[in-house]
Amino acid sequence: QAGEAVPVAQRGSWTSFLKAIASMSGDLSSLTAPPFILSPVSLTEYPAYWCERPELFAAIADAKTSEERALAVLRWFISTLKGQYTTRNESVGSEKKPLNPALGELFYGCWPDKDGRGQTRLLTEQVSHHPPITAYVIENESKGVKLVGHNAQKTSFSTGSIIVKQIGHAVLTVKLPTGGEEQYLLTLPRLRIDGLWYGAPYIELTESSYIVGGGFVGVIEYKGKGYFSGKSHSFKATLTPRPGHGGSATKEIVVEGTWHQNSKFTSGGHGQFHDVSMPNEIVTATGGEAGGEMGSMETRKLWELVAKGIREGDFELAQREKSRIENEMRQRRKDEAASGVPWALKHFTPLANDSVYEELSKNTKIAPPTEDAYVFQENWPESLK
Ligand code: CLR
């Protein structure tokens, strides 16, 4: 039944929200949604999903050959998908609408050292508000593994589902024991958000994403119920050696399975490839100010009362605080326009092209030919040094 999972009092506003989504395309972050679907978490916190298995991120550095390394990168990548795309359903029953970050919003965190894997640190900055773009760095310095990326979304509506095209990419840099380094370009899957009619949205991944580097082109194809094995969250990843791009492998490797459970080699290897039944480790949020305090632009400080309102069902508080923040930001933009001094980003420098992306995506099916880059300024706060 329509709106079955929606609190009765909010069914009308859920229907209006769906109609609004159906008739617009692009950015739905600014649409007003009914309270039951609101998440108290801002999108600036989502990059943390890249490292909820810090041991797999660190393991990339321990690989002995370029083939082992390419497999370690793929294993880490696939193992993040469960967290990235099923967490909200698991923890709060359905996909939710995250808070739309303010320009300059920040999030800092880390996963402490354990079993000699080293500390991994995370820094996120909202580098654009219109359209919303989030840039991030995740680094395990002791292992020499670093991920720098940015994310945006373009949404459309098709046969009852929201289609989310992810814009942006990430570059993973791995220091090699021999002194050099290897870089991998990662592109992102497309999302289909189903279950809207019932008011219980959930994500399925579709189409494909790429991991290119270390002498391999990796293509990951995503399918839901009724394809491949017929199971939800299915994928098939193919690593093809790329002559003349480093590495010495000659054989193709294929792994297949379900990304939220496990997978195995179906060609070029034997046995299990990945398994995410072990619990993940959520990030420890760290303030970026002196003494580890949180500054006024740090997400958990900025949205504190909005999040409290949403968590405790005090939607009047949430709405009031949200309007206050939005008005403050609008005023800030007006003042900047009047003074001619635009907002200065704290950690990233925007560039119109990304030479690593251009180089690695050459002669692959990755499009477009170039993308924006957000170059990290290597200025970690004291608390994360
Ligand atoms: C952000 C980048 C992360 C992976 C990720 C997971 C969930 C996505 C989110 C990204 C972007 C925003 C998103 C969200 C799921 C729902 C939400 C698409 C890609 C939209 C804006 C909200 C839709 C509202 C419905 C829930 C009704 O690495």
Side-chain angles (χ1 to χ4, degrees):
Q1 194 211 315
E4 205 169 327
V6 180
V8 176
Q10 296 179 39
R11 284 189 186 164
S13 68
W14 179 242
T15 316
S16 317
F17 178 63
L18 292 182
K19 280 189 187 138
I21 296 174
S23 62
M24 65 98 66
S25 83
D27 168 20
L28 54 82
S29 57
S30 54
L31 289 184
T32 310
F36 85 94
I37 205 73
L38 300 180
S39 159
V41 180
S42 156
L43 268 186
T44 55
E45 294 208 27
Y46 283 44
Y49 290 127
W50 285 113
C51 210
E52 293 189 341
R53 305 202 178 253
E55 71 288 357
L56 294 183
F57 193 63
I60 295 168
D62 299 330
K64 298 281 180 304
T65 62
S66 52
E67 179 178 311
E68 263 183 44
R69 201 153 32 244
L71 283 170
V73 173
L74 179 65
R75 181 175 294 114
W76 154 74
F77 176 85
I78 297 292
S79 302
T80 71
L81 300 177
K82 179 185 178 188
Q84 308 251 23
Y85 302 112
T86 70
T87 302
R88 279 80 52 198
N89 283 70
E90 306 270 289
S91 60
V92 285
S94 85
E95 193 52 69
K96 300 272 168 175
K97 187 171 185 288
L99 298 171
N100 183 24
L103 177 63
E105 188 174 319
L106 301 161
F107 182 62
Y108 302 106
C110 69
W111 293 264
D113 180 22
K114 207 169 91 181
D115 307 327
R117 71 179 186 208
Q119 175 195 251
T120 313
R121 50 190 177 171
L122 159 74
L123 170 164
T124 304
E125 180 166 15
Q126 189 68 13
V127 292
S128 167
H129 181 69
H130 266 312
I133 305 176
T134 311
Y136 57 89
V137 191
I138 296 173
E139 179 174 38
N140 182 330
E141 200 186 18
S142 64
K143 291 278 182 181
V145 188
K146 179 177 170 182
L147 180 75
V148 182
H150 69 276
N151 271 94
Q153 298 86 35
K154 198 171 169 7
T155 52
S156 55
F157 198 75
S158 170
T159 56
S161 309
I162 298 174
I163 308 295
V164 182
K165 182 179 181 212
Q166 295 204 69
I167 319 261
H169 62 273
V171 174
L172 179 80
T173 306
V174 189
K175 286 212 174 85
L176 302 181
T178 51
E181 59 178 40
E182 222 165 53
Q183 287 192 307
Y184 292 82
L185 169 65
L186 283 76
T187 68
L188 306 159
R190 195 165 286 208
L191 280 57
R192 202 182 59 231
I193 306 180
D194 289 326
L196 294 169
W197 182 251
Y198 302 100
Y202 62 92
I203 292 174
E204 185 55 278
L205 299 181
T206 70
E207 309 207 1
S208 42
S209 73
Y210 293 82
I211 302 181
V212 185
F216 284 92
V217 177
V219 184
I220 304 132
E221 296 169 79
Y222 305 92
K223 296 274 150 55
K225 260 198 186 78
Y227 299 86
F228 291 160
S229 64
K231 293 183 195 144
S232 331
H233 305 337
S234 296
F235 77 96
K236 174 177 173 181
T238 309
L239 288 185
T240 311
R242 200 185 193 196
H245 285 79
S248 52
T250 49
K251 68 170 192 282
E252 191 172 271
I253 301 170
V254 184
V255 304
E256 289 177 76
T258 47
W259 47 259
H260 67 308
Q261 293 167 323
N262 54 56
S263 63
K264 57 183 191 332
F265 287 88
T266 53
S267 181
H270 292 284
Q272 179 146 291
F273 176 67
H274 99 292
D275 177 8
V276 281
S277 54
M278 299 282 279
N280 52 338
E281 275 177 59
I282 60 168
V283 69
T284 305
T286 317
E289 303 284 290
E293 294 277 296
M294 283 190 191
S296 59
M297 286 307 283
E298 289 184 50
T299 186
R300 293 194 184 176
K301 186 90 186 174
L302 180 69
W303 296 106
E304 191 175 10
L305 293 175
V306 176
K308 183 174 190 280
I310 293 173
R311 286 206 173 91
E312 295 174 359
D314 185 347
F315 296 109
E316 222 168 290
L317 172 68
Q319 191 48 56
R320 188 169 359 106
E321 281 296 309
K322 183 168 169 282
S323 302
R324 180 186 61 77
I325 294 167
E326 286 167 353
N327 288 336
E328 261 177 46
M329 295 301 147
R330 260 192 289 276
Q331 189 57 47
R332 217 177 256 190
R333 303 289 91 84
K334 276 187 197 153
D335 295 347
E336 288 159 8
S339 66
V341 185
W343 177 262
L345 296 178
K346 197 166 176 167
H347 297 291
F348 295 92
T349 309
L351 286 182
N353 308 290
D354 186 330
S355 54
V356 179
Y357 176 100
E358 288 166 16
E359 189 50 40
L360 289 170
S361 63
K362 249 183 219 154
N363 303 320
T364 69
K365 287 185 182 151
I366 298 175
T370 195
E371 280 199 337
D372 294 352
Y374 290 89
V375 181
F376 179 46
Q377 295 169 10
E378 298 296 341
N379 52 349
W380 290 97
E382 275 315 312
S383 58
L384 286 173
K385 272 185 183 151

